[in-house]
Short mmCIF file of all heavy atoms in Angstrom, two decimals:
data_model
loop_
_atom_site.label_atom_id
_atom_site.label_comp_id
_atom_site.label_asym_id
_atom_site.label_seq_id
_atom_site.Cartn_x
_atom_site.Cartn_y
_atom_site.Cartn_z
N ALA O 1 -4.96 18.93 25.67
CA ALA O 1 -4.80 20.33 25.13
C ALA O 1 -4.31 20.28 23.66
O ALA O 1 -4.84 20.87 22.72
CB ALA O 1 -4.00 21.19 25.96
N LEU O 2 -3.37 19.44 23.45
CA LEU O 2 -2.77 19.28 22.05
C LEU O 2 -3.88 18.59 21.12
O LEU O 2 -3.96 19.04 20.00
CB LEU O 2 -1.61 18.38 22.05
CG LEU O 2 -0.93 18.14 20.82
CD1 LEU O 2 -0.45 19.38 20.07
CD2 LEU O 2 0.30 17.14 20.98
N ARG O 3 -4.55 17.65 21.61
CA ARG O 3 -5.54 16.96 20.79
C ARG O 3 -6.61 17.99 20.39
O ARG O 3 -7.20 18.05 19.29
CB ARG O 3 -6.12 15.80 21.59
CG ARG O 3 -7.12 14.98 20.62
CD ARG O 3 -7.69 13.78 21.36
NE ARG O 3 -8.46 12.84 20.52
CZ ARG O 3 -9.70 13.08 20.06
NH1 ARG O 3 -10.15 14.22 20.29
NH2 ARG O 3 -10.14 12.23 19.23
N GLU O 4 -7.14 18.72 21.45
CA GLU O 4 -8.24 19.69 21.14
C GLU O 4 -7.80 20.76 20.18
O GLU O 4 -8.58 21.19 19.40
CB GLU O 4 -8.67 20.25 22.46
CG GLU O 4 -9.54 19.35 23.21
CD GLU O 4 -10.10 19.93 24.58
OE1 GLU O 4 -10.29 21.25 24.54
OE2 GLU O 4 -10.30 19.19 25.50
N SER O 5 -6.53 21.19 20.33
CA SER O 5 -6.00 22.24 19.42
C SER O 5 -6.00 21.70 17.92
O SER O 5 -6.27 22.37 16.96
CB SER O 5 -4.74 22.88 19.85
OG SER O 5 -3.65 21.87 19.73
N MET O 6 -5.60 20.39 17.84
CA MET O 6 -5.53 19.87 16.47
C MET O 6 -6.95 19.60 15.89
O MET O 6 -7.16 19.82 14.73
CB MET O 6 -4.81 18.47 16.53
CG MET O 6 -3.21 18.70 16.76
SD MET O 6 -2.35 17.12 16.87
CE MET O 6 -2.44 16.56 15.07
N THR O 7 -7.84 19.15 16.85
CA THR O 7 -9.17 18.87 16.24
C THR O 7 -9.98 20.25 15.94
O THR O 7 -10.64 20.23 15.04
CB THR O 7 -10.07 18.08 17.30
OG1 THR O 7 -10.01 18.78 18.50
CG2 THR O 7 -9.62 16.64 17.37
N SER O 8 -9.57 21.32 16.66
CA SER O 8 -10.16 22.57 16.28
C SER O 8 -9.60 23.16 15.03
O SER O 8 -10.39 23.78 14.28
CB SER O 8 -9.97 23.64 17.45
OG SER O 8 -8.63 23.88 17.61
N SER O 9 -8.36 22.95 14.78
CA SER O 9 -7.87 23.45 13.48
C SER O 9 -8.04 22.46 12.26
O SER O 9 -8.31 22.99 11.16
CB SER O 9 -6.29 23.64 13.66
OG SER O 9 -5.65 22.48 13.88
N LEU O 10 -8.05 21.26 12.46
CA LEU O 10 -8.28 20.22 11.37
C LEU O 10 -9.66 19.71 11.30
O LEU O 10 -10.13 19.18 10.25
CB LEU O 10 -7.33 19.05 11.59
CG LEU O 10 -5.88 19.33 11.50
CD1 LEU O 10 -5.14 18.13 11.89
CD2 LEU O 10 -5.38 19.80 10.17
N GLY O 11 -10.50 19.83 12.36
CA GLY O 11 -11.73 19.21 12.44
C GLY O 11 -11.51 17.75 12.93
O GLY O 11 -10.49 17.20 12.88
N GLU O 12 -12.65 17.16 13.39
CA GLU O 12 -12.58 15.81 13.98
C GLU O 12 -12.20 14.82 12.90
O GLU O 12 -11.27 13.99 13.17
CB GLU O 12 -13.92 15.36 14.51
CG GLU O 12 -13.92 14.14 15.24
CD GLU O 12 -13.10 14.14 16.58
OE1 GLU O 12 -13.10 15.15 17.24
OE2 GLU O 12 -12.65 13.08 16.91
N ASN O 13 -12.73 14.87 11.71
CA ASN O 13 -12.30 13.90 10.62
C ASN O 13 -10.93 14.19 10.10
O ASN O 13 -10.24 13.29 9.78
CB ASN O 13 -13.33 13.98 9.56
CG ASN O 13 -14.70 13.34 9.90
OD1 ASN O 13 -14.79 12.52 10.73
ND2 ASN O 13 -15.76 13.84 9.28
N GLY O 14 -10.56 15.42 10.10
CA GLY O 14 -9.19 15.80 9.60
C GLY O 14 -8.12 15.24 10.62
O GLY O 14 -7.08 14.75 10.20
N TYR O 15 -8.37 15.33 11.89
CA TYR O 15 -7.55 14.82 12.94
C TYR O 15 -7.46 13.34 12.80
O TYR O 15 -6.37 12.79 12.84
CB TYR O 15 -8.04 15.24 14.29
CG TYR O 15 -7.36 14.51 15.46
CD1 TYR O 15 -6.04 14.89 15.86
CD2 TYR O 15 -8.09 13.50 16.06
CE1 TYR O 15 -5.51 14.06 16.85
CE2 TYR O 15 -7.46 12.74 17.17
CZ TYR O 15 -6.11 13.08 17.48
OH TYR O 15 -5.54 12.42 18.43
N LYS O 16 -8.62 12.69 12.67
CA LYS O 16 -8.52 11.23 12.60
C LYS O 16 -7.82 10.78 11.41
O LYS O 16 -7.10 9.79 11.33
CB LYS O 16 -9.97 10.75 12.62
CG LYS O 16 -10.64 10.71 14.00
CD LYS O 16 -12.03 10.21 13.99
CE LYS O 16 -12.73 10.34 15.26
NZ LYS O 16 -14.03 9.82 15.25
N GLY O 17 -8.03 11.45 10.23
CA GLY O 17 -7.37 11.15 8.97
C GLY O 17 -5.85 11.33 9.12
O GLY O 17 -5.11 10.45 8.73
N LEU O 18 -5.42 12.47 9.74
CA LEU O 18 -3.96 12.69 9.92
C LEU O 18 -3.47 11.54 10.82
O LEU O 18 -2.21 11.12 10.72
CB LEU O 18 -3.79 14.03 10.47
CG LEU O 18 -2.27 14.41 10.74
CD1 LEU O 18 -1.60 14.52 9.45
CD2 LEU O 18 -2.22 15.74 11.51
N PHE O 19 -4.10 11.28 11.95
CA PHE O 19 -3.72 10.18 12.92
C PHE O 19 -3.59 8.82 12.15
O PHE O 19 -2.53 8.22 12.33
CB PHE O 19 -4.80 10.07 13.94
CG PHE O 19 -4.28 9.25 15.14
CD1 PHE O 19 -3.65 9.78 16.21
CD2 PHE O 19 -4.68 7.85 15.14
CE1 PHE O 19 -3.18 9.01 17.30
CE2 PHE O 19 -4.20 7.08 16.15
CZ PHE O 19 -3.45 7.63 17.24
N LYS O 20 -4.50 8.55 11.36
CA LYS O 20 -4.46 7.19 10.59
C LYS O 20 -3.24 7.29 9.63
O LYS O 20 -2.43 6.23 9.56
CB LYS O 20 -5.71 6.97 9.91
CG LYS O 20 -6.84 6.63 10.70
CD LYS O 20 -8.10 6.46 9.95
CE LYS O 20 -9.29 6.27 10.85
NZ LYS O 20 -10.57 6.23 10.15
N LEU O 21 -3.01 8.36 8.98
CA LEU O 21 -2.04 8.50 7.88
C LEU O 21 -0.59 8.44 8.58
O LEU O 21 0.30 7.54 8.10
CB LEU O 21 -2.14 9.74 7.15
CG LEU O 21 -1.04 9.98 6.04
CD1 LEU O 21 -1.18 8.94 4.93
CD2 LEU O 21 -1.16 11.42 5.52
N VAL O 22 -0.38 9.10 9.63
CA VAL O 22 0.93 9.10 10.25
C VAL O 22 1.19 7.80 10.93
O VAL O 22 2.28 7.22 10.90
CB VAL O 22 0.99 10.28 11.26
CG1 VAL O 22 2.36 10.23 12.08
CG2 VAL O 22 0.92 11.62 10.61
N SER O 23 0.05 7.17 11.52
CA SER O 23 0.29 5.79 12.07
C SER O 23 0.63 4.76 10.98
O SER O 23 1.58 3.94 11.21
CB SER O 23 -0.99 5.41 12.74
OG SER O 23 -1.31 6.16 13.86
N LEU O 24 -0.02 4.85 9.89
CA LEU O 24 0.29 3.91 8.74
C LEU O 24 1.68 4.16 8.31
O LEU O 24 2.45 3.13 8.01
CB LEU O 24 -0.66 4.12 7.70
CG LEU O 24 -0.61 3.17 6.50
CD1 LEU O 24 -0.77 1.61 7.00
CD2 LEU O 24 -1.60 3.51 5.43
N ILE O 25 2.06 5.41 8.07
CA ILE O 25 3.49 5.74 7.57
C ILE O 25 4.48 5.10 8.60
O ILE O 25 5.53 4.50 8.21
CB ILE O 25 3.73 7.21 7.42
CG1 ILE O 25 2.89 7.58 6.22
CG2 ILE O 25 5.20 7.48 7.26
CD1 ILE O 25 2.90 9.13 6.06
N GLY O 26 4.24 5.31 9.91
CA GLY O 26 5.15 4.78 10.94
C GLY O 26 5.21 3.26 10.89
O GLY O 26 6.24 2.71 11.04
N LEU O 27 4.01 2.59 10.74
CA LEU O 27 3.98 1.24 10.68
C LEU O 27 4.73 0.60 9.47
O LEU O 27 5.48 -0.40 9.63
CB LEU O 27 2.49 0.75 10.69
CG LEU O 27 2.28 -0.83 10.81
CD1 LEU O 27 2.92 -1.36 12.07
CD2 LEU O 27 0.87 -1.18 10.67
N VAL O 28 4.58 1.26 8.31
CA VAL O 28 5.32 0.85 7.08
C VAL O 28 6.80 1.00 7.23
O VAL O 28 7.55 0.11 6.91
CB VAL O 28 4.68 1.63 5.88
CG1 VAL O 28 5.68 1.52 4.75
CG2 VAL O 28 3.34 1.20 5.58
N LEU O 29 7.26 2.14 7.89
CA LEU O 29 8.60 2.32 8.07
C LEU O 29 9.15 1.24 9.13
O LEU O 29 10.36 0.83 9.00
CB LEU O 29 8.96 3.67 8.78
CG LEU O 29 8.82 4.77 7.65
CD1 LEU O 29 8.96 6.18 8.42
CD2 LEU O 29 9.91 4.65 6.68
N ILE O 30 8.40 0.84 10.10
CA ILE O 30 8.76 -0.24 11.10
C ILE O 30 9.01 -1.48 10.28
O ILE O 30 10.03 -2.17 10.47
CB ILE O 30 7.80 -0.35 12.20
CG1 ILE O 30 7.82 0.81 13.05
CG2 ILE O 30 8.11 -1.62 13.04
CD1 ILE O 30 6.68 0.90 14.08
N VAL O 31 8.03 -1.88 9.47
CA VAL O 31 8.11 -3.18 8.73
C VAL O 31 9.26 -3.18 7.78
O VAL O 31 10.03 -4.12 7.72
CB VAL O 31 6.78 -3.49 8.11
CG1 VAL O 31 6.84 -4.68 7.21
CG2 VAL O 31 5.66 -3.68 9.16
N TYR O 32 9.39 -2.10 7.03
CA TYR O 32 10.40 -2.05 5.98
C TYR O 32 11.77 -1.94 6.72
O TYR O 32 12.72 -2.57 6.24
CB TYR O 32 10.20 -0.76 5.11
CG TYR O 32 11.16 -0.68 4.00
CD1 TYR O 32 11.09 -1.54 2.90
CD2 TYR O 32 12.20 0.30 3.98
CE1 TYR O 32 11.99 -1.45 1.90
CE2 TYR O 32 13.13 0.42 3.01
CZ TYR O 32 13.03 -0.49 1.94
OH TYR O 32 13.90 -0.45 0.91
N GLY O 33 11.89 -1.07 7.77
CA GLY O 33 13.18 -1.06 8.44
C GLY O 33 13.65 -2.31 9.12
O GLY O 33 14.78 -2.68 9.12
N TYR O 34 12.61 -3.09 9.69
CA TYR O 34 12.97 -4.41 10.18
C TYR O 34 13.42 -5.36 9.05
O TYR O 34 14.36 -6.19 9.33
CB TYR O 34 11.73 -5.08 10.95
CG TYR O 34 11.96 -6.39 11.54
CD1 TYR O 34 12.72 -6.43 12.73
CD2 TYR O 34 11.62 -7.57 10.95
CE1 TYR O 34 12.84 -7.68 13.38
CE2 TYR O 34 11.80 -8.70 11.51
CZ TYR O 34 12.55 -8.84 12.71
OH TYR O 34 12.73 -10.06 13.24
N GLY O 35 12.83 -5.33 7.95
CA GLY O 35 13.29 -6.14 6.85
C GLY O 35 14.65 -5.82 6.38
O GLY O 35 15.40 -6.65 6.12
N GLN O 36 15.00 -4.44 6.43
CA GLN O 36 16.39 -4.06 6.10
C GLN O 36 17.39 -4.55 7.09
O GLN O 36 18.50 -4.86 6.78
CB GLN O 36 16.38 -2.55 5.89
CG GLN O 36 15.63 -2.05 4.74
CD GLN O 36 16.24 -2.42 3.40
OE1 GLN O 36 16.02 -3.63 3.08
NE2 GLN O 36 16.85 -1.60 2.71
N ALA O 37 16.99 -4.43 8.38
CA ALA O 37 17.85 -4.91 9.38
C ALA O 37 18.09 -6.40 9.35
O ALA O 37 19.15 -6.90 9.67
CB ALA O 37 17.25 -4.52 10.82
N LYS O 38 17.02 -7.15 8.92
CA LYS O 38 17.11 -8.60 8.80
C LYS O 38 18.07 -8.87 7.62
O LYS O 38 18.92 -9.83 7.79
CB LYS O 38 15.74 -9.14 8.50
CG LYS O 38 15.54 -10.67 8.72
CD LYS O 38 14.12 -10.88 8.48
CE LYS O 38 13.79 -12.25 8.99
NZ LYS O 38 12.44 -12.63 8.88
N ILE O 39 18.06 -8.16 6.52
CA ILE O 39 19.00 -8.44 5.42
C ILE O 39 20.31 -8.06 5.85
O ILE O 39 21.33 -8.77 5.44
CB ILE O 39 18.51 -7.62 4.18
CG1 ILE O 39 17.17 -8.15 3.71
CG2 ILE O 39 19.59 -7.57 3.14
CD1 ILE O 39 16.55 -7.25 2.63
N ALA O 40 20.61 -7.04 6.52
CA ALA O 40 21.91 -6.54 6.90
C ALA O 40 22.62 -7.58 7.93
O ALA O 40 23.73 -7.72 7.79
CB ALA O 40 21.89 -5.21 7.55
N SER O 41 21.85 -8.17 8.80
CA SER O 41 22.36 -8.93 9.79
C SER O 41 22.51 -10.46 9.29
O SER O 41 23.19 -11.25 9.88
CB SER O 41 21.56 -9.01 11.04
OG SER O 41 20.36 -9.68 10.84
N SER O 42 21.90 -10.75 8.17
CA SER O 42 21.82 -12.06 7.60
C SER O 42 21.55 -13.15 8.50
O SER O 42 22.21 -14.30 8.40
CB SER O 42 23.14 -12.27 6.75
OG SER O 42 24.17 -12.48 7.70
N SER O 43 20.65 -12.91 9.42
CA SER O 43 20.20 -13.90 10.38
C SER O 43 18.67 -13.98 10.36
O SER O 43 17.99 -13.04 9.83
CB SER O 43 20.69 -13.87 11.75
OG SER O 43 20.11 -12.54 12.36
N VAL O 44 18.09 -15.03 10.99
CA VAL O 44 16.65 -15.07 10.92
C VAL O 44 16.00 -14.01 11.75
O VAL O 44 15.13 -13.38 11.24
CB VAL O 44 16.19 -16.53 11.52
CG1 VAL O 44 14.74 -16.65 11.58
CG2 VAL O 44 16.81 -17.58 10.65
N ASN O 45 16.48 -13.82 12.92
CA ASN O 45 15.93 -12.67 13.78
C ASN O 45 17.04 -11.83 14.21
O ASN O 45 17.90 -12.12 15.07
CB ASN O 45 15.28 -13.28 15.03
CG ASN O 45 14.00 -13.96 14.69
OD1 ASN O 45 13.17 -13.52 13.96
ND2 ASN O 45 13.86 -15.07 15.40
N PRO O 46 17.13 -10.60 13.60
CA PRO O 46 18.23 -9.77 13.98
C PRO O 46 18.10 -9.19 15.45
O PRO O 46 16.97 -8.90 15.82
CB PRO O 46 18.08 -8.58 13.06
CG PRO O 46 16.57 -8.54 12.60
CD PRO O 46 16.19 -10.00 12.64
N GLN O 47 19.19 -9.14 16.14
CA GLN O 47 19.19 -8.75 17.52
C GLN O 47 19.39 -7.19 17.47
O GLN O 47 20.45 -6.74 17.15
CB GLN O 47 20.24 -9.42 18.37
CG GLN O 47 20.07 -9.22 19.83
CD GLN O 47 20.76 -10.20 20.59
OE1 GLN O 47 21.63 -10.97 20.11
NE2 GLN O 47 20.61 -10.21 21.90
#
């Protein structure tokens, strides 16, 4: 229901574009945040 409401308001390509953009932002934050956690813990693999 949520997906259909988003595709009806944004269109199929708009929904896919938003999905890709938010996924990419999340992935970049994960990578950058992991790097920051690695620096803060000063070990090879932060726990």
Side-chain angles (χ1 to χ4, degrees):
L2 178 61
R3 186 182 189 284
E4 286 184 26
S5 69
M6 290 180 72
T7 53
S8 66
S9 63
L10 299 171
E12 187 69 28
N13 289 335
Y15 166 75
K16 287 180 181 180
L18 180 66
F19 189 91
K20 289 175 188 178
L21 179 67
V22 173
S23 294
L24 183 64
I25 290 170
L27 187 62
V28 167
L29 286 174
I30 291 169
V31 171
Y32 186 72
Y34 182 79
Q36 293 295 72
K38 199 174 191 180
I39 291 169
S41 69
S42 69
S43 68
V44 177
N45 291 317
Q47 194 162 9

